[in-house]
Amino acid sequence: MNLSALRANIRKLKSLTKPEVNFLPVIKSEAYGHGLLPVARTLASEGIYGFGLSDLEEALRLREAGLALPIILLSGFETPWLQEIARLKIIPTVVDLYQLGLLAAFSRKTSKVFPFHLKIDTGMGRFGLLPEELEKALYIIQENPQLRLEGVMSHLACGEKPYKEITIEQKKTFAECIEKIKKIRVKPRFFHLANSAALMLDKATHYNLVRPGIALYGAYPFEPQTSPVKLEPVMTAKARILSVKKVKAGQGIGYGPIFKASKDMKVALVPVGYADGYLRSLSNQGFAWVKGKRVPLVGAVSMRVIMFDVTGLDISPGDELILLGGAKREVPPEELASRAGTIPYELFCLLGKGSFRIYLD
């Protein structure tokens, strides 16, 4: 993991916003597989507001590591978490009227001021109370002065497409909800809507807090050539060749076999498979980089081995190859993810979870 690249990416993203816009990096799910604590410590040194997470366990790890910046649980909370949320001074996000009622009752019982963010579903159809429920929510908040509405947020379904109808409608709905909130005595500190894509492509979504996620780690949520900044890859997944063998024309390779050699070939066996997070859907689709050349994956991805066609290359056991990333984006996560029928987020989370990590700074 290249922490210098992480620093560079957050600085480039900051260059796209006004100075008064705060940053809430999303580092949930082990920082998208990059390692929660090293990523959090690096970002904390870059003048951010706080961290966006989804579960209590990761919030606890940040606090135990001495990180005191605000932590916002972006995807709601479970009832048993409330005691720990209060103890650790974590800011929950309320995603429906039921959770708002739970929080109001808990804060009355403990007689403590309880800051929280309110999530509105402006059209994604996932977490968040509906706009028509906002009036009732505001009534509950005003009737419970121990509740402090710290922020109001929503999430874009197609942030990478600023001019798509659903995006335009979501932005309009969010703006209308903000106007309703501003008419009452409750004065939230933050309004936030922008994820990585919106941060990079749509200044109208910035408000005063943005939530970069995938872009922090050097992947693009849209076609890279349309990006206003050049991101640097943070994760590079590497492996060493375990064995090299010759395969005769017509011979099958691996299970099925779903691949048969059309000519005499040389194949490199790499001890990585779907048990390590390398997706089986990359069978006959994946590729790697070795000795300055892209080499195709041949055959089925097995539990603990994948095979690459290295015909014509001077390859030996122990040689290192790049499975994902690379300083020069030799194996672009966007392209590999597309071949797997998925998105870079999943590749990062899976390969990062199953890997031995080395951090460079």
Side-chain angles (χ1 to χ4, degrees), residues 247 251-255 257-262 265-269 278 282-288 295-302 305-311:
V247 177
Q251 182 179 341
I253 295 178
Y255 287 115
I258 64 170
F259 180 90
K260 287 189 178 181
S262 60
M265 297 172 59
K266 184 165 63 173
V267 176
L269 281 70
Y278 196 93
L282 284 168
S283 299
N284 278 340
Q285 298 294 324
F287 60 93
V295 294
L297 188 152
V298 291
V301 173
S302 300
V305 67
I306 46 180
M307 296 157 286
F308 294 95
D309 177 5
V310 294
T311 305

Side-chain angles (χ1 to χ4, degrees), residues 1-3 5-6 9-10 13 25-36 39-40 43 51-53 196 212-220 231-236 325 329 333-334 344-345 348-349:
M1 305 295 176
N2 187 340
L3 296 178
L6 180 65
N9 290 339
I10 186 75
L13 294 173
V26 180
I27 60 171
K28 63 184 178 181
S29 301
E30 202 64 35
Y32 294 28
H34 290 71
L36 182 71
V39 167
L43 293 172
F51 302 108
L53 295 176
S196 288
I214 195 70
L216 292 169
Y217 311 108
Y220 299 90
L231 301 173
E232 300 181 23
V234 177
M235 178 189 293
T236 295
R329 290 173 58 85
E334 301 85 4
Y345 304 72
F348 288 157
C349 288

Side-chain angles (χ1 to χ4, degrees), residues 184-202:
I184 64 173
R185 63 176 177 81
V186 176
K187 304 298 179 186
R189 178 182 176 187
F190 294 115
F191 295 100
H192 49 117
L193 180 63
N195 54 10
S196 288
L199 189 166
M200 298 169 76
L201 299 178
D202 191 357

Side-chain angles (χ1 to χ4, degrees), residues 20 22 49 72 117 149-153 174 187-192 207-209:
E20 61 268 26
N22 294 272
Y49 162 71
I72 301 177
H117 285 228
L149 182 59
E150 183 85 357
V152 178
M153 64 179 291
F174 190 58
K187 304 298 179 186
R189 178 182 176 187
F190 294 115
F191 295 100
H192 49 117
Y207 290 95
N208 62 350
L209 185 69

Side-chain angles (χ1 to χ4, degrees), residues 124-144:
M124 187 169 182
R126 204 174 63 170
F127 289 120
L129 56 86
L130 297 174
E132 54 265 33
E133 297 174 317
L134 180 59
E135 186 174 340
K136 185 172 183 180
L138 294 176
Y139 173 79
I140 294 171
I141 292 168
Q142 291 182 94
E143 289 297 303
N144 290 273

